[in-house]
Amino acid sequence: MSIEKVKERAEMDAKRNGYYLNPDPEFLNSLLEGLKQNEERYNYPSCPCRLASGKIELDRDIICPCDYRDPDVMEFGACYCALYVDEKVNSGTVKLDPVPERRPLEKQAKAFSAKSDQEQKIKPEIAEETKLKIDTKLDLWYCKQCGYVAFREEAPLICPICKAKKEMFAKIKTQINYSI
Ligand code: SF4
């Protein structure tokens, strides 16, 4: 799906619900690009600010627009990623502060564990039969601006807490790393 289509879909959804897309064009583009990449990777547009497991039954709550968007926009004026904002944030009347994570820790942990499991499970099967080489790793990324940390293959495009760009993330250490 093209980035224009991703934007069109988000715009329609914002309009239907009385929201706006983030007024900063560069920031908005980073989020749309993240959605596009996730849709290509998983076949569904999982949240660009969160770790998806790749299993739809575990990621359903973070398919954009996620289950947490409406309460977050109502309480904080924006969703967790700040893709969707309310009228006050859109017009600049209210300054947008970091939106705390509303997704339960249990769900985050399940997604992380499922991702690790998938990687572990394919190891013996594929290694025996095809000798396929796979090098999979999750790293611990650290936002130099606000201290937010996340386990991911790559640094987040946007920090969900302070909205710093990907370049502001530093890799701390490798968590999972193997070849088969
Ligand atoms: S936090 Fe925003 S961008 Fe992320 S899934 Fe929810 S609605 Fe979409």
Side-chain angles (χ1 to χ4, degrees):
M1 181 177 280
S2 68
I3 195 118
E4 290 76 24
K5 284 275 174 207
V6 176
K7 185 174 184 188
E8 202 178 296
R9 185 175 60 193
E11 274 173 341
M12 278 171 56
D13 196 86
K15 202 169 176 185
R16 217 173 16 244
N17 289 281
Y19 302 147
Y20 299 83
L21 296 188
N22 193 293
D24 177 337
E26 205 183 329
F27 181 75
L28 174 61
N29 208 52
S30 306
L31 292 171
L32 296 171
E33 184 58 42
L35 283 170
K36 178 175 173 288
Q37 284 177 16
N38 284 349
E39 189 155 6
E40 285 165 0
R41 187 179 297 149
Y42 304 122
N43 285 325
Y44 47 84
S46 64
C47 182
C49 306
R50 295 175 167 116
L51 176 72
S53 70
K55 289 184 167 184
I56 193 162
E57 63 273 22
L58 293 179
D59 295 339
R60 212 177 290 280
D61 63 316
I62 56 164
I63 293 175
C64 191
C66 62
D67 291 359
Y68 314 103
R69 178 190 66 176
D70 294 343
D72 280 343
V73 176
M74 201 173 294
E75 188 173 348
F76 303 107
C79 68
Y80 181 58
C81 296
L83 171 63
Y84 293 97
V85 300
D86 69 7
E87 197 280 326
K88 286 181 182 161
V89 172
N90 181 58
S91 63
T93 319
V94 168
K95 184 180 153 286
L96 180 60
D97 285 324
V99 176
E101 174 62 292
R102 193 184 287 270
R103 189 181 198 207
L105 267 176
E106 192 196 353
K107 283 184 182 259
Q108 295 180 51
K110 272 187 186 166
F112 178 72
S113 146
K115 195 159 178 86
S116 304
D117 282 354
Q118 279 168 24
E119 288 156 359
Q120 295 289 348
K121 265 187 208 142
I122 61 172
K123 188 174 174 180
E125 294 161 8
I126 300 177
E128 284 295 313
E129 289 174 25
T130 67
K131 311 267 188 260
L132 182 65
K133 289 266 183 210
I134 296 176
D135 187 2
T136 307
K137 60 184 176 185
L138 289 179
D139 292 312
L140 185 57
W141 294 93
Y142 165 76
C143 174
K144 291 184 270 181
Q145 188 161 286
C146 72
Y148 169 76
V149 291
F151 281 110
R152 297 174 62 111
E153 289 171 19
E154 292 175 20
L157 287 171
I158 299 284
C159 174
I161 304 300
C162 70
K163 315 305 175 200
K165 291 194 181 149
K166 186 176 184 176
E167 295 72 41
M168 288 301 289
F169 276 82
K171 194 190 290 185
I172 298 180
K173 64 172 182 176
T174 299
Q175 175 69 11
I176 299 169
N177 192 1
Y178 61 76
S179 291
I180 59 174

